[in-house]
Structures are given as C-alpha cells and as structure tokens.
Amino acid sequence: MNMELPRGVQDILPEDIPYWQLVENTARKLFESYNYEEIRTPIFEYTELFRKGTGETTDIVMKEMYTFTDKKGRSLTLRPEGTPGVIRAFLTNKIYNQKPVWKVYYIGPMFRYERPQAGRYRQFHQLGIEVLGRKDPYIDFEVIKLAVDLLKNLKLENLEVEINSLGCIKCRPNYREALISYFRKYEDQLSPIDKERLERNPLRLLDSKDEKLIALKDQAPQPIDYLCDECKIHFEKVQKYLSLDNIKYKLNPKLVRGLDYYTRTVFEITTTTLGSQNAVVGGGRYDNLVETYGGPSIPGLGFALGIERLIILLKQQNHISLPYIPLIFITLSEDYVETGIKLANILRTKYRVDIGSPQENLRTQLKWADKLGSFIVIFLTEEIEKNKLKIKNFKTGEEKYTDLNFNTILEDIETML
Ligand code: AMP
C-alpha cells in the first residue's frame, strides 16, 4: 500500500493552524465590514464551466485541470479557481432577480496540475471576493483596496500593487488585430501551443512561459494604448480613487493575467521576498463572463489570494503575535473523577484543559503534562479530603495550596501564570 502523499499536496498540521485561522478570521472580519457575505460552492463542477469561463486557451484549461469522468460518463473537474463556481451559483440560484448587487467572499481549496515548487502546489487554498452588478470604477477601487487592507491588517511588508487595463469588447478587437499582426512576423519562432493561441486568443501569448517569447513579448503592442475613451476614463477614475486613499500602485502595461475573462482593470499584488512565485493576489474585472455563461448582461469583478503564499510571508516576516492560551493539566485519580470533571468544566471557560487518565499513576501523568507542553498542573490527590487543591507551576517551581472553591480557583490560577 502506498502511504506517500501525492506530489504537490500537503498536510496542514496543528502547529500551522493558528496562521490559517488568523488569515481566515482577519479576512472574514474585513470583508464583512464591507458588506460581503460568505459563499461555499462545490469542489467539483462540470468541466464545461471552466472551459468556457477560465478559457480554452489558458494554461489552466489546456494543461492543469484535474478532470475525470464519473460513473455516468459526465466530465467533471476539481475547481482550479473560484470565480466560475461563484458565477454559476449566481445563475443557478437566480440571485440577479433578488439583489441589485451581490458581494461575496469564499475560502477554500483549488486544484491545478502544475509543477510543484516552493509556493506552488497542486492543491492550494484561495481566499477571494467577487462583486456582481456594479460597473462603476469606485468598486474596482474597493476590490483592490480590500486586498491591500487585508495584507496591511496582517502587517505584511514589501508588497507592490500593479495595475493595468485590458479594455472592453469595444476596444479589444483593435488591440487583438495589432497583436496578431505583430506576432505573425515571428510565427516561425512560436511553439505549436503558442501558434494555436495566436489564431484563437493572441492575448494569451503575453503570459506564455516560453523562453523564446520573452524578448518578443517586451516589444509587443500594449492594451493600454488601444483603450476606448470610456475605458480610459474608467481606468483614470480607479487610479484617482487609489491615490485619494493613499494606496501606492504601479502601472504595469504588461500585466495581462492568466485567465481569459478579464476586461478593463486587472491587478496583482506581488512581493519581493517569495522568489519566482511572487504573486500573492490576482484579480480584475470581468464584464462579460455572466453573459458568456448564458446569463443576463451583468458586470463583475474580484480577486483571489493564495493562502499558502501568504502564510510563507507571515512566517518570514515573523512579527505577528499568534494567540496563546496556556494549557492546564489536571492529574486524575479514580477517587476524584467527579471533582476533576467539574473543575475542568470551570477552567475551560478560560483555558485549554487536558486531563490525565485515572488508570495511570501520578508519575506517568506528570510526564504526559510535560510532553503536552503544559506547565501548570493541578493535582487531584488526598488533599481534596481537606478541601485543598495543589497547583504547581513547573516553569517557576511555585507551588500553591488553594481552597477547593470553584469560585476562586480561576483567580488563583491567574496569579500563577
Ligand atoms: P490566479 O487564480 O492564477 O489568479 O492566482 C491567484 C493567486 O492564487 C496567486 O497570486 C497565488 O497566490 C495563488 N496561486 C495560484 N496558483 C497557485 C498554486 N499552484 N499554488 C499555490 N498558490 C497558487
């Protein structure tokens, strides 16, 4: 039997959970203060959903999906990203008939068959938001601000916000033409996959990972030079609001993002301390995605943040304080089981409490307490008969006999910590 972990996946062990909880709780609190509600969509969906939304010519759909056939021959895929499922839920549940604007956030695992390395996994977790039903530039600003504020609330440094605009269905065709005629000149240098992309979706050439394309990409026409007036004004407003709120950003005309559905604003937050996997957040506007899925014409936008990468950064920067609640160990003896249970009930209102086994002797129980990392030990021994309880702090050596009075025990322990 193979007990190895499949490549690219990992256990999240209890020692790391405080980081996960910190990130999730900070995100929940922030998003809810901006009136976003949580949504939980399925881990797998019909493959078609990602083909159509994420895009046929993207790396994700061409190479990275975990796709399988179920017992009835239907093609299903483990979600490689969160947005398509959220849009599907919006349509399936006809939310557009109920709410003028839908603001949601999600937290959960995603799956991509990528080459694993530090900061890149096959199962990873994203935390993201989506807004459906607003086309104004204020909301582009709000979405970028939420990503920035989340990282700020987690006290992360060395981050850079990059933004760009990809234009809309009106101005995109002109840009597409310009890209095609530019890359046609170098067609013989393109890999078969990139040749196919040139025909079907030339924008994807700009995030191709092919080495030979790097120099070519540098000289390629940029979407920002082809924006129509409306897209220009929209993008200027987004930048104005960012500046008003003192959010530093860099205009990166080469930023295109790896998913097909983006229109107008796209953005990424990168860090200088993660090596090659330096993107922490990616997002943007997708004004035609709902329609692509056969729904009404409703604009949308959002971002996704990689939790694993964020936690690597939190550990590197190492100045957050994780909550620590001391562990109190109660040794148990068969004669005083009832007292032990009642005492633990009270202490658990404030502390983590673990109880030894009445079948083990005191020495063994003390060894356990030490191994479990508990330094406050409460002894349930014959002193109980005299209404006394021994408490010892093994770090300081301090010992105390307190009255067996459930009202004052909490206070007595407090003084010993
Ligand atoms: P994307 O959905 O590709 O725009 O990615 C958004 C964010 O998810 C990235 O900035 C990363 O932080 C994270 N991410 C994407 N792919 C992976 C992966 N394979 N492993 C870990 N994190 C990832």
Side-chain angles (χ1 to χ4, degrees):
M1 189 184 163
N2 186 356
M3 293 294 284
E4 274 173 37
L5 206 55
R7 228 167 103 71
V9 306
Q10 54 189 348
D11 297 313
I12 302 164
L13 294 172
E15 67 213 41
D16 268 356
I17 292 295
Y19 287 98
W20 286 79
Q21 289 179 344
L22 176 75
V23 169
E24 291 168 6
N25 294 342
T26 309
R28 284 204 160 88
K29 202 165 144 208
L30 176 69
F31 297 159
E32 284 175 14
S33 78
Y34 277 74
N35 198 26
Y36 288 70
E37 298 170 295
E38 184 171 355
I39 182 167
R40 302 184 189 193
T41 64
I43 301 285
F44 60 81
E45 302 264 3
Y46 286 124
T47 303
E48 194 55 23
L49 185 77
F50 304 109
R51 286 195 167 282
K52 239 185 163 169
T54 312
E56 296 275 3
T57 51
T58 57
D59 273 357
I60 293 182
V61 169
M62 289 179 108
K63 306 184 215 163
E64 297 171 359
M65 292 206 298
Y66 279 92
T67 296
F68 59 98
T69 311
D70 75 1
K71 290 190 165 60
K72 284 255 169 75
R74 292 169 287 226
S75 180
L76 298 168
T77 293
L78 299 185
R79 61 181 188 192
E81 53 138 344
T83 307
V86 172
I87 310 296
R88 198 231 359 93
F90 179 73
L91 293 173
T92 310
N93 300 288
K94 298 197 170 53
I95 309 284
Y96 48 85
N97 284 338
Q98 302 157 34
K99 295 197 170 186
V101 178
W102 205 40
K103 293 172 49 165
V104 291
Y105 69 90
Y106 59 84
I107 303 175
M110 307 292 159
F111 306 84
R112 294 184 195 171
Y113 193 80
E114 292 194 86
R115 199 167 53 76
Q117 51 179 278
R120 201 208 271 160
Y121 314 97
R122 290 181 173 170
Q123 174 176 323
F124 59 98
H125 295 74
Q126 282 186 341
L127 187 161
I129 65 173
E130 312 289 350
V131 181
L132 290 162
R134 279 190 64 166
K135 60 178 192 317
D136 55 312
Y138 164 80
I139 200 77
D140 301 46
F141 153 75
E142 181 177 293
V143 166
I144 299 173
K145 175 177 170 58
L146 273 172
V148 172
D149 279 2
L150 175 56
L151 300 172
K152 229 190 251 168
N153 291 355
L154 289 164
K155 302 187 178 60
L156 288 173
E157 292 155 0
N158 306 322
L159 296 160
E160 191 163 70
V161 182
E162 294 181 26
I163 62 171
N164 193 18
S165 175
L166 302 181
C168 64
I169 42 171
K170 269 197 269 161
C171 47
R172 186 75 72 76
N174 292 338
Y175 176 58
R176 190 187 144 94
E177 282 312 309
L179 263 187
I180 293 179
S181 49
Y182 171 79
F183 278 112
R184 276 246 191 281
K185 290 184 278 183
Y186 309 100
E187 209 170 340
D188 51 337
Q189 295 181 39
L190 301 183
S191 69
I193 275 196
D194 284 340
K195 269 189 191 143
E196 190 188 333
R197 285 175 164 151
L198 176 59
E199 299 306 324
R200 294 173 65 186
N201 188 358
L203 199 68
R204 284 278 70 81
L205 291 174
L206 298 177
D207 63 5
S208 167
K209 293 182 182 88
D210 192 333
E211 295 275 313
K212 275 192 252 151
L213 267 183
I214 291 175
L216 284 183
K217 283 195 299 195
D218 247 21
Q219 302 298 318
Q222 295 175 341
I224 198 105
D225 297 323
Y226 291 80
L227 298 184
C228 63
D229 286 345
E230 280 171 55
C231 284
K232 256 189 219 157
I233 293 169
H234 185 98
F235 196 40
E236 278 163 15
K237 287 256 162 72
V238 177
Q239 294 179 70
K240 178 179 150 197
Y241 301 148
L242 287 170
S243 303
L244 286 179
D245 200 32
N246 294 323
I247 295 179
K248 289 199 182 61
Y249 64 89
K250 203 175 106 186
L251 192 65
N252 176 359
K254 294 194 168 53
L255 179 69
V256 290
R257 311 267 309 117
L259 314 170
D260 264 3
Y261 43 67
Y262 287 121
T263 54
R264 292 196 164 170
T265 317
V266 286
F267 75 102
E268 239 170 45
I269 303 184
T270 52
T271 162
T272 46
T273 56
L274 266 184
S276 62
Q277 301 307 308
N278 63 354
V280 188
V281 183
R285 184 169 268 287
Y286 45 82
D287 284 343
N288 311 111
L289 184 56
V290 180
E291 237 175 330
T292 304
Y293 281 141
S297 169
I298 290 178
L301 67 165
F303 73 69
L305 168 154
I307 303 184
E308 281 83 355
R309 287 187 197 173
L310 185 64
I311 289 178
I312 296 175
L313 286 176
L314 284 175
K315 287 183 175 171
Q316 276 176 2
Q317 300 191 4
N318 196 25
H319 49 214
I320 54 158
S321 50
L322 296 173
Y324 171 73
I325 305 169
L327 174 69
I328 294 175
F329 192 89
I330 301 178
T331 62
L332 207 55
S333 96
E334 203 64 74
D335 299 335
Y336 310 119
V337 170
E338 190 189 347
T339 314
I341 293 172
K342 286 191 175 147
L343 184 58
N345 286 343
I346 290 173
L347 295 176
R348 284 194 177 110
T349 57
K350 213 160 167 198
Y351 302 107
R352 290 185 295 154
V353 177
D354 216 336
I355 302 189
S357 154
Q359 277 76 50
E360 298 294 345
N361 65 28
L362 192 61
R363 239 174 85 90
T364 308
Q365 291 191 48
L366 283 179
K367 265 194 206 151
W368 288 359
D370 185 40
K371 290 233 165 80
L372 292 172
S374 163
F375 57 91
I376 296 277
V377 177
I378 298 179
F379 294 80
L380 294 192
T381 49
E382 56 286 349
E383 278 89 18
I384 291 198
E385 312 287 350
K386 298 178 225 150
N387 270 332
K388 288 280 179 197
L389 199 60
K390 183 169 127 183
I391 307 176
K392 182 164 179 176
N393 180 333
F394 277 83
K395 244 194 221 163
T396 59
E398 183 189 358
E399 251 180 49
K400 201 174 191 178
Y401 284 90
T402 64
D403 292 336
L404 183 56
N405 173 349
F406 289 154
N407 293 325
T408 55
I409 275 175
L410 277 173
E411 289 163 30
D412 286 335
I413 288 183
E414 189 90 3
T415 63
M416 293 188 71
L417 282 170

